[in-house]
Every structure is written in structure tokens, then in C-alpha cells.
Amino acid sequence: MTESIHDLGQGFWSIRGDLRIGGVLNVGTQASLVRLGTGRFVMLDSYPLSGAIRDTVMDLTDGGRAVQAVLNLHPFHTLHCAATARDFPDAALFGSHRHRLRHPDLNWRPEPVESPEVQDMFADDLTFSLPRGIDYVSRNERVHAGSLLAWHPASRTLHVDDTINLMPVPRLLRGVFPNPRVFLHPTLPQALLPQAGAVRDFRDWLQGLAGLTRDLRWLCAAHSGLREFEPGQFKGELLAAFRRVEDKLAKAEARRG
């Protein structure tokens, strides 16, 4: 995996970054740059810009001065918040309470990124969706299934960290399976809220998301890549991904009583 930036059209750029575990295994990460109808920009998630990617972003945003806000959407993606805050010092900085706890020295806006107030601020250009039935910020540091998703109708692009993933196809099988497979985060059973109906709530949310993004063209997934879809294709693959784990989720809910 190498760092890159992709112009997806209609004011949406996907930044594909490197994230090395233990300095060796590159699991990848992402951020996105979105041009608002006002002509200003927002960054979805944080990533340390460098080289040609930095030059592109700065050229687009008048040296960063046109970036109105940085929206950190995943509570466990906190490594690069300080670097992005330095790149865009005039931008309003939003995050979850976990972002603020991890970086108390940064100038965070008081409104949590997942709040209705923030959704209203950018409603002309972006629709945010918080999964129901699962924890957004799990007490278990290893459970990262919860995230705030951002839908950009103009480019028909969904930006998602961890909740929805793409499974890479081994090179030898690409002739038979040319596209990465949509799947749900493996820690989803552990992320279920300890209440009756949690699986139902998650299923209903996912079906609503499938309807919202029924004409999706691009899926930007944090650690697993970028994929283009035909209209209507994503909805079927997303619901199929849920059916594959529905029994496991039901058993996890039953164990919790």
C-alpha cells in the first residue's frame, strides 16, 4: 500500500494513507477532503499530509485557509489529530469525547462530532449516520466496530471507518472475484449494546443506510481500500454481509441475556 489521493468527482477527494503496526505491518488508513457548496472544505478524519498529497490539498484549499473544519469520525482513530490540527490551524476541530481525552491540548469544539448540532452544520453537503444497537465508543479498547459514517450525495460516496470494510481479493483469485468483498467489522458481536433488541436495532439502521446510499458509486473504507460500485450494487452486498453474521450476532445478544 502506498500513499495516494483520488479525485472521485463532485468535490470529493479520498486520501489513502499508511499506518504501520509495530512499524512493520501496513494496515492502511484514510482521510477525505470534501468541497462544500460554499466553496470551503472539510477534512473527514486526520492524516499527516506530506509530499505530493500535501501539495495537492494545499493547492485546492488556498494553503489550508479554506478548510472550515476537521471532523474526526472514529473515536479510536486518534494518532494523527495533532498533525492535522497543525496543518489547518484555522479550522474548527471536532471529535468524540475520546479524541478530546487523548489530545486535551488541542482546541476542540465543544459539540461532539456525532451530535445533531454538527450534523446540522454540514447538512447541505453531508449526511452523517451513527449505527444503532452498538457502542460508538466501546470500553474495550480492541472493539472498533463503532464509527460515524459520512455520506456525500453529490459524489455518491460513503466514507466509513471500520464499521464496514472491504476484504481484499488474493491476486490468484482476481480473475474469478475481481472486486473486494463487503464485510462488517469482526468485533461487531462484542460491540452490541447490552440490551434486548440490539441486533434488531443494528439491522434496522443498516437497512436504512442501504436505502440512503442506494445509488452509491464509491465506498471509502479506512483500512481496506476504495471500491467503485454500479448503482444498486452496494445495497445488495451490504445486506448480504449482514446476513452472513446475523446468527453470530443473535447468539452474542442471547449470551448477554
Side-chain angles (χ1 to χ4, degrees), residues 6-25:
H6 304 264
D7 184 352
L8 306 186
Q10 302 299 314
F12 196 104
W13 290 263
S14 174
I15 299 166
R16 314 309 305 174
D18 290 335
L19 178 62
R20 297 186 182 277
I21 303 299
V24 179
L25 178 63

Side-chain angles (χ1 to χ4, degrees), residues 69-84:
V70 177
L71 307 174
N72 292 281
L73 304 177
H74 195 302
F76 287 92
H77 289 190
T78 61
L79 289 176
H80 306 310
C81 294
T84 300

Side-chain angles (χ1 to χ4, degrees), residues 24-244:
V24 179
L25 178 63
N26 187 6
V27 298
T29 189
Q30 71 171 347
S32 294
L33 179 70
V34 183
R35 184 174 56 226
L36 305 175
T38 61
R40 303 197 73 192
F41 293 80
V42 296
M43 285 286 295
L44 303 179
D45 290 323
S46 294
Y47 184 73
L49 304 174
S50 62
I53 295 176
R54 180 183 177 83
D55 292 344
T56 298
V57 171
M58 293 303 173
D59 286 346
L60 287 166
T61 63
D62 187 25
R65 288 178 288 274
V67 177
Q68 178 178 335
V70 177
L71 307 174
N72 292 281
L73 304 177
H74 195 302
F76 287 92
H77 289 190
T78 61
L79 289 176
H80 306 310
C81 294
T84 300
R86 287 193 298 270
D87 280 340
F88 308 109
D90 298 326
L93 187 63
F94 294 94
S96 68
H97 76 266
R98 191 175 185 276
H99 290 99
R100 295 193 291 275
L101 288 173
R102 290 283 168 157
H103 296 279
D105 55 319
L106 298 181
N107 187 26
W108 296 101
R109 286 287 298 263
E111 305 92 342
V113 69
E114 72 275 17
S115 67
E117 292 84 357
V118 175
Q119 296 190 36
D120 289 344
M121 289 178 196
F122 303 101
D124 289 344
D125 300 279
L126 293 162
T127 300
F128 298 99
S129 185
L130 188 67
R132 297 196 304 274
I134 65 172
D135 271 326
Y136 178 48
V137 186
S138 174
R139 293 182 181 181
N140 185 337
E141 294 279 313
R142 296 176 179 271
V143 176
H144 294 183
S147 65
L148 181 64
L149 287 70
W151 168 241
H152 185 239
S155 64
R156 294 156 40 206
T157 300
L158 182 65
H159 174 110
V160 54
D161 299 319
D162 291 12
T163 307
I164 302 169
N165 296 266
L166 291 167
M167 183 177 293
V169 179
R171 184 169 298 177
L172 292 176
L173 297 178
R174 289 177 188 169
V176 181
F177 305 104
N179 293 314
R181 189 185 201 190
V182 175
F183 73 103
L184 300 177
H185 198 271
T187 65
L188 195 59
Q190 291 91 345
L192 285 173
L193 294 175
Q195 62 190 37
V199 175
R200 179 200 60 220
D201 290 345
F202 182 80
R203 181 194 63 226
D204 291 348
W205 167 80
L206 200 71
Q207 289 174 339
L209 180 70
L212 176 70
T213 62
R214 57 188 174 275
D215 63 344
L216 178 143
R217 183 182 177 193
W218 292 102
L219 177 66
C220 303
H223 301 300
S224 50
L226 176 67
R227 179 183 158 189
E228 187 173 10
F229 290 77
E230 295 296 327
Q233 183 181 10
F234 175 68
K235 177 179 180 179
E237 294 195 29
L238 180 62
L239 297 180
F242 175 77
R243 289 193 295 271
R244 290 196 297 271

